[in-house]
C-alpha cells in the first residue's frame, strides 16, 4: 500500500477532526451485496462507459485537490508503467476494512512523477472528474473497472449558490479563528477570500477536501450530485464544529481562570 497523503488544510482540518457531530455517510459497494443483486448495464449504457484502472486508498480525493503518493507495491508499479505509456490517469477510490470499496471515486491525473532506481515512484496527482463504478472488469494485477462520469445536476429548487458558498466560507473563517485561539497558535490573519474566485461547485469540492480527518463524511460529499446539497451539508458540519469549539473554548477559559 502506498503512503498516505499528508494533511491538507491545517487549522480547519484540525478543528473538523475535533467535531463531535460529524455526519455518517451512507456506504455503497461495488462487489456482491446481500440485499440486492448486481444490475447489468444495457448495451446503450455500455457505450457510455470507459475502462479505468483503480487505486483503492484509505482517503478521498476531490476534483481540484492535490494528492502526493509514493508507489512501491509491485502491482501498482505495473500500473504506473502502463500509465506512463498512456494518459497518466487512474481512479482513486476510497476503501477501508469496515466498509470495503466505495462506488464513487475521483480521477487522479499524474502531473509530476519521479522514478527511482529501485522502481518506486513518487507522484503528484491532481483530482479531475468524478466517476461511478459500474462493473469490475478485472482484479489482477490491479483493479480495472468500467465507469461512468458524474456531474452535478441542477437543484430541484431554485438555490442561491453564491449565498450558500459565502455562508460556508464565513463558517470556515470562524472555525479557523477559534481553532487558532484554542490551540494557542501564533495569531494569523485569516485570508479575506478563502474561495479564491472559485465558483460554488469547485469551492464545495475544496471545502470537502479540508475534512480529511473524516473520510466517511468526505465520501458522502463526493457522492452528492447537487452543489446546493453539498454546500448545505458542509455548512452543517462546520456549524457543528464551531459549536464544539465554542464549548471547548469556554471550558478552557474556566480552567484558566481557576488556575490564575
Amino acid at each position: 500500500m502506498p503512503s498516505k497523503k499528508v494533511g491538507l488544510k491545517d487549522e480547519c482540518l484540525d478543528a473538523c477532526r475535533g467535531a463531535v457531530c460529524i455526519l455518517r455517510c451512507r456506504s455503497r459497494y461495488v462487489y456482491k451485496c446481500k440485499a440486492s443483486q448486481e444490475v447489468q448495464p444495457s448495451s446503450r449504457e455500455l457505450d457510455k462507459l470507459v475502462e479505468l484502472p483503480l487505486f483503492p486508498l484509505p482517503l478521498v480525493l476531490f476534483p481540484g485537490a492535490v494528492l502526493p503518493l509514493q508507489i512501491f507495491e509491485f502491482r501498482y508499479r505495473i500500473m504506473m508503467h502502463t500509465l506512463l505509456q498512456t494518459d497518466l490517469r487512474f481512479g482513486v477510490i476510497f476503501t477501508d476494512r469496515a466498509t470495503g470499496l466505495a462506488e464513487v471515486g475521483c480521477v487522479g491525473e499524474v502531473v509530476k512523477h519521479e522514478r527511482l532506481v529501485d522502481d518506486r515512484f513518487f507522484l503528484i496527482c491532481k483530482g479531475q472528474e468524478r466517476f461511478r463504478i459500474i462493473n469490475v472488469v478485472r482484479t489482477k494485477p490491479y483493479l480495472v473497472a468500467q465507469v461512468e462520469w458524474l456531474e452535478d445536476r441542477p437543484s430541484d429548487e431554485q438555490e442561491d449558490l453564491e449565498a450558500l458558498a459565502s455562508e460556508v466560507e464565513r463558517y470556515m473563517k470562524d472555525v479557523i479563528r477559534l481553532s487558532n485561539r484554542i490551540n494557542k497558535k501564533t495569531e494569523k490573519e485569516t485570508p479575506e477570500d478563502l474561495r479564491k474566485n472559485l465558483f460554488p461547485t469547485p469551492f464545495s469540492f475544496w471545502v470537502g477536501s479540508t475534512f480529511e480527518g473524516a473520510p466517511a463524511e468526505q465520501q458522502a460529499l463526493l457522492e452528492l450530485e447537487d452543489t446546493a446539497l453539498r454546500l448545505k451539508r458542509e455548512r452543517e458540519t462546520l456549524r457543528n464544529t464551531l459549536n464544539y469549539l465554542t464549548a471547548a473554548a469556554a471550558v478552557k477559559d474556566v480552567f484558566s481562570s481557576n488556575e490564575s
Side-chain angles (χ1 to χ4, degrees), residues 132-182:
R132 174 178 285 113
I133 298 175
I134 301 301
N135 183 44
V136 175
V137 177
R138 64 173 185 268
T139 59
K140 295 182 179 180
Y142 50 84
L143 278 172
V144 176
Q146 290 179 316
V147 306
E148 64 177 4
W149 305 122
L150 293 185
E151 292 184 0
D152 277 6
R153 299 189 296 261
S155 299
D156 294 334
E157 301 178 0
Q158 292 294 328
E159 296 283 358
D160 188 342
L161 296 181
E162 285 294 331
L164 275 173
S166 296
E167 191 175 3
V168 169
E169 182 183 24
R170 287 195 298 271
Y171 273 114
M172 288 194 73
K173 289 180 180 179
D174 290 341
V175 166
I176 292 171
R177 290 191 189 100
L178 195 50
S179 179
N180 284 341
R181 175 190 162 196
I182 292 173

Side-chain angles (χ1 to χ4, degrees), residues 28 41 44-52 54 103-107 129-135 145-151 153 225:
R28 295 184 292 179
R44 177 176 295 181
E45 290 172 329
L46 284 172
D47 292 338
K48 299 179 181 179
L49 304 182
V50 296
E51 288 193 4
L52 188 69
L54 300 182
E103 180 182 350
V104 173
C106 179
V107 170
E129 60 264 59
R130 293 173 297 158
F131 63 85
R132 174 178 285 113
I133 298 175
I134 301 301
N135 183 44
Q146 290 179 316
V147 306
E148 64 177 4
W149 305 122
L150 293 185
E151 292 184 0
R153 299 189 296 261
E225 298 177 55

Side-chain angles (χ1 to χ4, degrees), residues 6-182:
V6 297
L8 285 178
K9 302 297 184 301
D10 300 334
E11 294 89 351
C12 189
L13 168 59
D14 293 338
C16 289
R17 280 178 174 162
V20 293
C21 297
I22 292 295
L23 302 173
R24 303 297 297 174
C25 80
R26 176 171 51 90
S27 300
R28 295 184 292 179
Y29 308 101
V30 176
Y31 295 118
K32 293 181 179 179
C33 178
K34 294 180 181 179
S36 61
Q37 297 180 345
E38 183 178 353
V39 178
Q40 295 297 325
S42 66
S43 58
R44 177 176 295 181
E45 290 172 329
L46 284 172
D47 292 338
K48 299 179 181 179
L49 304 182
V50 296
E51 288 193 4
L52 188 69
L54 300 182
F55 200 166
L57 288 170
L59 54 84
V60 178
L61 178 65
F62 282 85
V66 175
L67 173 65
L69 288 173
Q70 179 184 175
I71 309 295
F72 55 85
E73 239 184 284
F74 179 68
R75 54 181 168 170
Y76 296 117
R77 297 203 313 257
I78 294 176
M79 185 178 77
M80 276 307 304
H81 285 289
T82 302
L83 293 177
L84 288 173
Q85 300 174 21
T86 54
D87 62 354
L88 295 175
R89 289 158 56 89
F90 59 94
V92 176
I93 193 83
F94 173 68
T95 185
D96 66 12
R97 293 180 179 178
T99 61
L101 195 70
E103 180 182 350
V104 173
C106 179
V107 170
E109 182 175 13
V110 179
V111 295
K112 185 177 181 180
H113 71 276
E114 180 182 359
R115 181 180 174 184
L116 306 181
V117 291
D118 59 359
D119 209 31
R120 287 183 298 136
F121 289 88
F122 286 113
L123 309 178
I124 301 294
C125 308
K126 186 172 183 179
Q128 302 295 336
E129 60 264 59
R130 293 173 297 158
F131 63 85
R132 174 178 285 113
I133 298 175
I134 301 301
N135 183 44
V136 175
V137 177
R138 64 173 185 268
T139 59
K140 295 182 179 180
Y142 50 84
L143 278 172
V144 176
Q146 290 179 316
V147 306
E148 64 177 4
W149 305 122
L150 293 185
E151 292 184 0
D152 277 6
R153 299 189 296 261
S155 299
D156 294 334
E157 301 178 0
Q158 292 294 328
E159 296 283 358
D160 188 342
L161 296 181
E162 285 294 331
L164 275 173
S166 296
E167 191 175 3
V168 169
E169 182 183 24
R170 287 195 298 271
Y171 273 114
M172 288 194 73
K173 289 180 180 179
D174 290 341
V175 166
I176 292 171
R177 290 191 189 100
L178 195 50
S179 179
N180 284 341
R181 175 190 162 196
I182 292 173

